[in-house]
C-alpha cells in the first residue's frame, strides 16, 4: 500500500467523516440512512488515516506531492 493521498484530501475526508458521525450520533439522521452514512464515514476516516485510497489506486490517481531530495 503506497500512500496516494495528499494532506488536503486527507483533511477533507476526516472532516466529512466527523460531520457524518455527528449527524448520526445527534439523531439528526436515523434509520437505514444513518447506518449507511456511518459506514461511509468509517471508510472516509480509514482512508484518511492511512493516506491510501483504493479507488485512487485502481485509476492510478495520486494527490500526494512528492518532495525532491
Amino acid at each position: 500500500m503506497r500512500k496516494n493521498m495528499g494532506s488536503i484530501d486527507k483533511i477533507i475526508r476526516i472532516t466529512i467523516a466527523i460531520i457524518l458521525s455527528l449527524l448520526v450520533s445527534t439523531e439528526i439522521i436515523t434509520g437505514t440512512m444513518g447506518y449507511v452514512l456511518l459506514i461511509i464515514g468509517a471508510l472516509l476516516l480509514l482512508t484518511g488515516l492511512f493516506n491510501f485510497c483504493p479507488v485512487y489506486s485502481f485509476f492510478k490517481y495520486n494527490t500526494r506531492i512528492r518532495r525532491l531530495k
Side-chain angles (χ1 to χ4, degrees):
M1 264 186 354
R2 289 189 176 168
K3 295 180 180 182
N4 62 2
M5 285 177 39
S7 59
I8 295 174
D9 196 3
K10 178 180 179 175
I11 291 168
I12 291 171
R13 286 174 186 254
I14 292 174
T15 304
I16 292 173
I18 291 169
I19 290 170
L20 291 178
S21 66
L22 286 174
L23 287 173
V24 174
S25 66
T26 57
E27 296 183 356
I28 293 174
I29 300 176
T30 59
T32 305
M33 183 58 83
Y35 291 120
V36 170
L37 289 180
L38 275 179
I39 292 171
I40 292 171
L43 291 173
L44 288 173
L45 182 65
L46 287 174
T47 57
L49 291 176
F50 290 115
N51 292 330
F52 177 77
C53 179
V55 176
Y56 284 4
S57 179
F58 180 75
F59 290 110
K60 299 190 185 333
Y61 186 70
N62 190 350
T63 60
R64 188 167 183 231
I65 297 172
R66 296 186 187 219
R67 302 190 189 269
L68 298 174
K69 294 182 181 179

